DNA sequence: GCAAAACCAGATAATTTAGTCTGAATTAAA
DNA sequence: TTTAATTCAGACTAAATTATCTGGTTTTGC
């Protein structure tokens, strides 16, 4: 096995993109998010709760309540969601799992991997989710 | 949590680089590999066994036995080890965990992520482990 | 031949991640 | 005011990963 992001993070990203791509209503319940994205309701529900705690989304309790983006889509970077859920350790720690990996005491593949890692970080930091609305709608229509 | 490679794969890569960087003896036991790399002996032992099964390294049983590279270092690519242990799914499956992610039915970040993924694959496929011998020796001396 | 050192195979245990369940609090609508 | 739909908190279960243990087999050196 090997993953870039945890399932939590994957589902979190999906859910945020989902919210960003919706305009028709104000609140979207965990139930309909889960059902539209075809992911486990109880699980995504927990993830959404943690994103509320992180201030990326907001929630409204009670009937007809649900979740909504707390910021404008063009103010939410992909990395914000990753950071909120998985943290930024992947972008800091050693690919090979060597302890103490740094430019002073680099692991064997340090310089090669470092470039890739920086590019990934750069991409996730520069792209805001408004950029993905259209593509999300297309993908959603085919789930 | 989020990882690029599993612990198995990290330790496997470390162990292979270790073997590649050694010239003084023919066989290296799981015990000394684990002790030098400061990783769990029983665990790395299991990983080495699976790499033997994959033909990347060989082993010799009995007293003074141990493991050795089955090929020349310049014939072993980083990706070979990753493939043997974790498989190549990370380079094929969707970052966001969307099912059916392809250029026909792409996930929202498909094109952005695809580039990075290809570069990572490209790097791991082009680099052979002989390239890392010196750096490995340096790192080992500081563990 | 025998003991020690090693790999090997399979079972087991511990930890982490993924996912589910229950019940309470909140809100809107009937 | 009652009911249904919701978030939320926390406990719980399941599955995967990581790690350890036990015993067997092979090989070398004494």
């Amino acid at each position: 096995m090997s993953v870039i992001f945890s399932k939590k993070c994957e589902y979190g990203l999906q859910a945020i993109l989902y919210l960003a791509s919706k305009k028709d209503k104000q609140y979207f319940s965990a139930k309909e998010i889960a059902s539209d994205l075809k992911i486990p309701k109880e699980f995504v529900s927990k993830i959404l709760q943690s994103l509320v705690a992180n201030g990326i989304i907001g929630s409204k309790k009670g009937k007809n309540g649900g979740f909504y983006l707390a910021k404008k889509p063009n103010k939410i970077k992909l990395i914000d969601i990753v950071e909120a859920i998985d943290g930024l350790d992947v972008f800091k720690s050693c690919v090979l799992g060597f302890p103490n990996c740094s430019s002073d005491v680099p692991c064997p593949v340090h310089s090669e991997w470092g470039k890739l890692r920086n590019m990934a970080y750069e991409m996730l930091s520069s792209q805001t989710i408004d950029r993905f609305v259209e593509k999300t709608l297309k993908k959603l229509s085919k789930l």
Side-chain angles (χ1 to χ4, degrees), chain A residues 79-128:
Chain A
I79 199 75
D80 295 335
I81 302 149
V82 174
E83 181 171 17
I85 300 179
D86 278 351
L88 296 180
D89 274 6
V90 227
F91 300 104
K92 291 175 187 162
S93 57
C94 176
V95 228
L96 297 187
F98 274 112
N100 220 342
C101 181
S102 65
S103 33
D104 276 0
V105 193
C107 81
V109 304
H110 195 84
S111 66
E112 283 80 0
W113 196 261
K115 283 173 211 152
L116 292 167
R117 185 167 56 186
N118 290 343
M119 295 181 71
Y121 185 84
E122 186 53 36
M123 188 279 272
L124 295 169
S125 300
S126 64
Q127 303 275 345
T128 51

Side-chain angles (χ1 to χ4, degrees), chain A residues 5-62:
Chain A
F5 304 124
S6 67
K7 273 266 170 277
K8 269 188 193 172
C9 195
E10 289 181 2
Y11 292 162
L13 284 162
Q14 288 188 27
I16 299 279
L17 289 173
Y18 177 96
L19 288 176
S21 74
K22 296 288 185 176
K23 299 286 176 192
D24 46 327
K25 289 196 303 179
Q26 199 171 3
Y27 305 118
F28 293 85
S29 73
K31 191 180 171 185
E32 62 186 325
I33 296 175
S35 142
D36 284 356
L37 292 173
K38 296 181 178 44
I39 60 184
K41 168 179 175 293
E42 314 293 345
F43 194 32
V44 78
S45 178
K46 272 269 171 284
I47 297 163
L48 289 166
Q49 280 175 43
S50 79
L51 288 171
V52 169
N54 270 287
I56 294 176
I57 63 179
S59 68
K60 180 152 185 291
K61 290 183 188 176

Side-chain angles (χ1 to χ4, degrees), chain A residues 54-58 68-76 80 129:
Chain A
N54 270 287
I56 294 176
I57 63 179
Y68 57 91
L69 292 184
K71 309 173 186 177
K72 287 185 183 167
N74 66 5
K75 295 295 179 192
I76 303 177
D80 295 335
I129 62 173

